[in-house]
Amino acid sequence: RLASIELEDGVEELGYGAFQGCESLAEIDLPNSIRSIGEEAFDDCSMLRTIHLGNNVASIGEQAFGDCISLTRITLPGSLTSIERYAFEGCSLAEIYALGAVPPTIDAETFDAIHYINTRLYVPRNSAGTYRSTPYWQNFQHMEETEFTGLEATEVNPGVSVSIEDGHIRIDGRTDSDVAIEVYDANGRLVYQGCDRTIEIPEGGVY
């Protein structure tokens, strides 16, 4: 039973129906070499909760993530130029993080009607005007600008501060040196685990 996917770097395309109907699949970690996700690639993966698309995906095909009913959030990399219709049909999306200042081309039915009403769309600082004037992105009723190179949902103990400087997370204050620290991205993917107090993080993410 396939529960997670972590493809090796070098794969550039996922073909039609590549992992369609893998009902036990819960996590996808795609390498940065991926450029294209084909039609129905992950269609009907009903347990899928976590997706890391990599930083260079340019296109997402028709119904690529259709009926992924456990999928509640997705981060769309700035490299995306097009997302075909029904790509996220039937998903339970509560949050979408669109990292590109220029919105990818979408269809009226890329997302469900309920997504336009209920899903929160986070876009880069100073780009909301562009999204609000772009066909179908403008249908999202809950749109918010955010600084994607930063920290979200930080939980710290009293006397401890967390900040970000020059692409690093810095932790100061009363912490034991051997206390494990975990950093997750917006998709819930663990990107760091250890005891360092200065942690290098990938650019352009939400953590």
Side-chain angles (χ1 to χ4, degrees):
R1 296 168 66 88
L2 185 63
S4 65
I5 297 172
E6 186 171 351
L7 300 177
E8 292 185 2
D9 195 48
V11 178
E12 295 187 358
E13 180 180 357
L14 293 180
Y16 177 90
F19 297 96
Q20 184 181 32
C22 292
E23 296 181 356
S24 299
L25 182 62
E27 181 176 357
I28 303 166
D29 192 353
L30 299 181
N32 290 330
S33 59
I34 290 286
R35 300 291 190 273
S36 174
I37 298 174
E39 294 183 21
E40 302 184 25
F42 297 97
D43 181 51
D44 203 24
C45 294
S46 58
M47 295 297 293
L48 184 61
R49 296 187 302 274
T50 303
I51 302 173
H52 179 244
L53 294 179
N55 297 326
N56 296 303
V57 172
S59 64
I60 296 177
E62 183 173 324
Q63 210 166 337
F65 297 97
D67 293 319
C68 293
I69 59 176
S70 299
L71 187 63
T72 60
R73 58 162 46 180
I74 182 72
T75 297
L76 304 175
S79 56
L80 263 176
T81 59
S82 66
I83 310 174
E84 300 299 327
R85 64 178 183 169
Y86 310 135
F88 295 100
E89 179 186 42
C91 297
S92 303
L93 291 175
E95 298 173 329
I96 298 171
Y97 295 85
L99 304 188
V102 177
T105 301
I106 63 173
D107 184 89
E109 296 176 311
T110 293
F111 301 99
D112 290 341
I114 195 67
H115 295 147
Y116 293 122
I117 296 170
N118 292 336
T119 303
R120 304 198 70 85
L121 173 63
Y122 297 92
V123 301
R125 194 76 68 193
N126 302 319
S127 69
T130 303
Y131 278 82
R132 290 193 176 106
S133 62
T134 300
Y136 312 121
W137 289 107
Q138 61 196 14
N139 295 343
F140 280 93
Q141 297 184 18
H142 303 284
M143 187 183 304
E144 181 179 331
E145 291 185 351
T146 189
E147 189 67 54
F148 283 122
T149 303
L151 300 169
E152 300 289 340
T154 306
E155 298 181 5
V156 297
N157 295 326
V160 177
S161 66
V162 180
S163 60
I164 186 164
E165 300 175 4
D166 299 324
H168 293 75
I169 294 175
R170 182 184 176 92
I171 302 171
D172 295 299
R174 300 193 304 271
T175 60
D176 295 333
S177 59
D178 59 349
V179 172
I181 295 169
E182 295 181 347
V183 179
Y184 294 84
D185 66 14
N187 286 321
R189 188 175 70 102
L190 181 66
V191 297
Y192 174 83
Q193 184 177 42
C195 300
D196 294 334
R197 293 302 180 263
T198 301
I199 304 162
E200 184 175 2
I201 55 174
E203 294 182 1
V206 179
Y207 303 96

